[in-house]
């Protein structure tokens, strides 16, 4: 009888989450006639798909590293201030919005800033004689995506890493000082080892976040498919070639695999991080 | 997470200034300088696009500035109807999410602790399925949904509930963990309350803060959603902004900025509710 209570939830999740996931996973291993096949998955290891994958991994890794470095610096600047101060409240609220609010609005924010008629582009051209795009319009390509993605990756790092920094107890610093240690020694010998698992874990989270992002890239890049999510869009909205119908699903399946591996590592690191920080 | 903070401030704030003045005299100044060196460039990086949006959206012919694009927001029927769609979707998603999660999580905590891991796993699963992948698998389901319920963008509610599941679950589960759920429900049941009454009049009022937090997050997520709406061919706010961008960039950017500011206000509201909750119990 008790199990009836969770039935609505299980039914809902079954229809709108589990079934769609199975459609993708099963479809990835079927040919157009519905027969089992590995052709779709092996097709991913060559040509345009491999290129899209490499670019997606590059984009995710680059923005994860940028987010980790700048985000942790920003988190440190916030955490070394007053715990209930205006700076902290403003930065955390703003980061909460910017980390979530990727998508179309973010693409437009950067078009207004460094688009062809953007504010910064025009200012540099009119007043300093610098042409941002003398070597081609990179905003709608990989370098542009890295810049735009950083705008939500850095805030996400702040949100994820700030609790870890807050977990550093002042007593530890005092202990180092009373033993005659310097500030550098405190950061090198105490803070860094305690923070490393959280730092790397946050990096993995950032990687997964960039890897699965779609909306920003979709709004920014209307033609061509430089990364995997846009490649999937191509399959989803267009009539596809015979014998290739399920490659879109195979691409989706491979995304799930990458994100699942990254998130599993994240969970492992998180468990290790919680040893000292609670 | 929120528990001990109310007790800490006194010893913490007493320790900090002492540490700064007594130990190395130069350390405080170095720290301050380093903080400025970090905050200033990053502040410029984050504020510049927002200011650029303001400038861009007020540009008018002949190099002048004005509010023409902002005024046009109210006079673009496609846009206002998309805004209404997105707001309705946000409301429906919040209602459905609460209806689905609150009874389930309460029930699992009370009666089926063995299922807790499974429910948690299912709730966090959407984090591993990128929206662009989910849309591929859910397209056949939506063929049925539109067949049964009609071709309206409001059916997006079903999949939006799945999208907000991980965030809502965490907040609600933490909220339930912070109260003495077994005692409260036993007392209510002992006095003859039915299960719906227990949930509505005992559980819900006790986790108000968590429910508000979960709802705000869901609203922010729904208002910013683009992937599923655009690929399932429904018009919501983000899809409409994207379409407008091809016709009238100033208008699209004005709406984008308005949406960001609205989300900031929403998040500020959450942070104040959180602060209010800290003080309440004492």
């Amino acid at each position: 009888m008790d199990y009836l209570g969770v039935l609505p939830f299980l039914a809902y999740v079954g229809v709108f989450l589990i079934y769609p996931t199975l459609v993708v996973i099963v479809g990835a291993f079927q040919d157009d006639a519905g027969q089992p096949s590995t052709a779709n998955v092996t097709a991913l290891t060559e040509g345009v798909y491999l290129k899209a994958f490499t670019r997606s991994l590059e984009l995710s890794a680059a923005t994860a590293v940028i987010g980790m470095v700048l985000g942790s610096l920003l988190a440190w600047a916030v955490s070394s201030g007053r715990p209930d101060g205006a700076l902290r409240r403003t930065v955390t609220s703003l980061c909460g919005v910017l980390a979530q609010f990727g998508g179309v609005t973010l693409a437009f924010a950067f078009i207004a800033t460094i688009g062809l008629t953007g504010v910064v582009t025009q200012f540099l051209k009119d007043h300093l004689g610098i042409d941002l795009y003398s070597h081609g319009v990179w905003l709608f390509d990989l370098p542009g995506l890295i810049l735009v993605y950083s705008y939500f990756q850095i805030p996400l790092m702040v949100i994820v890493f700030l609790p870890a920094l807050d977990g550093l107890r002042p007593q530890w610093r005092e202990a180092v000082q009373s033993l005659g240690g310097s500030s550098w020694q405190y950061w090198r010998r105490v803070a860094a080892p305690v923070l490393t698992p959280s730092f790397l874990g946050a990096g993995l989270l950032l990687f997964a976040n960039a890897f699965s992002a779609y909306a920003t890239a979709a709004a920014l890049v209307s033609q061509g498919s430089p990364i995997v999510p846009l490649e999937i869009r191509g399959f989803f909205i267009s009539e596809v070639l015979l014998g290739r119908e399920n490659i879109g699903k195979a691409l989706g399946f491979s995304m799930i695999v990458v994100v699942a591996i990254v998130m599993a590592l994240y969970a492992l690191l998180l468990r290790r991080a919680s040893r000292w920080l609670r | 997470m929120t528990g001990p903070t109310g007790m800490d401030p006194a010893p913490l704030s007493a320790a900090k200034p002492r540490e700064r003045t007594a130990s190395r005299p130069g350390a405080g100044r170095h720290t301050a300088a380093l903080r400025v060196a970090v905050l200033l460039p990053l502040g410029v990086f984050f504020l510049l696009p927002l200011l650029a949006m303001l400038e861009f959206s007020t540009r008018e012919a002949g190099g002048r500035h004005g509010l023409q694009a902002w005024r046009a927001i109210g006079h673009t029927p496609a846009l206002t109807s998309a805004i209404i769609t997105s707001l309705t979707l946000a409301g429906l998603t919040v209602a459905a999410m609460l209806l689905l999660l609150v009874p389930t999580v309460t029930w699992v905590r009370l009666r089926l602790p063995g299922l807790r891991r499974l429910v948690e796993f299912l709730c966090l699963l959407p984090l591993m399925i990128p929206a662009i992948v989910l849309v591929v698998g859910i397209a056949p389901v939506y063929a049925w949904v539109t067949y049964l319920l009609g071709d309206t963008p409001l059916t997006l509610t079903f999949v939006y509930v799945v999208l907000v599941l991980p965030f809502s679950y965490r907040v609600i589960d933490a909220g339930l963990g912070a109260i003495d759920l077994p005692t409260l429900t036993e007392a209510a049941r002992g006095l003859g309350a039915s299960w719906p009454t227990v949930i509505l009049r005992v559980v819900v009022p006790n986790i108000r803060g968590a429910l508000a937090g979960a709802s705000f997050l869901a609203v922010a997520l729904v208002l910013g959603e683009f992937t599923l709406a655009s690929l399932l061919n429904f018009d919501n706010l983000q899809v409409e902004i994207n379409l407008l961008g091809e016709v009238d960039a100033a208008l699209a950017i004005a709406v984008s900025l308005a949406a960001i500011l609205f989300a900031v206000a929403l998040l500020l509201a959450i942070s104040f509710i959180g602060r209010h909750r800290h003080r309440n119990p004492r």
Side-chain angles (χ1 to χ4, degrees), chain B residues 10 18 25 31 35 150 183 219 256-257:
Chain B
R18 201 186 329 129
T31 310
R35 284 183 69 198
T183 313
V219 170
S256 300
L257 184 55

Side-chain angles (χ1 to χ4, degrees), chain B residues 137-156:
Chain B
I138 215 165
V141 178
Y142 262 78
W144 277 100
V145 170
T146 47
Y147 173 73
L148 292 171
L149 295 172
D151 192 10
T152 149
L154 297 183
T155 52
L156 281 171

Side-chain angles (χ1 to χ4, degrees), chain A residues 194-218:
Chain A
V194 170
L195 290 177
T196 300
S198 310
F199 185 70
L200 296 178
L204 288 171
L205 198 70
L206 261 60
F207 183 93
N209 188 46
F211 193 76
S212 42
Y214 164 80
T216 314

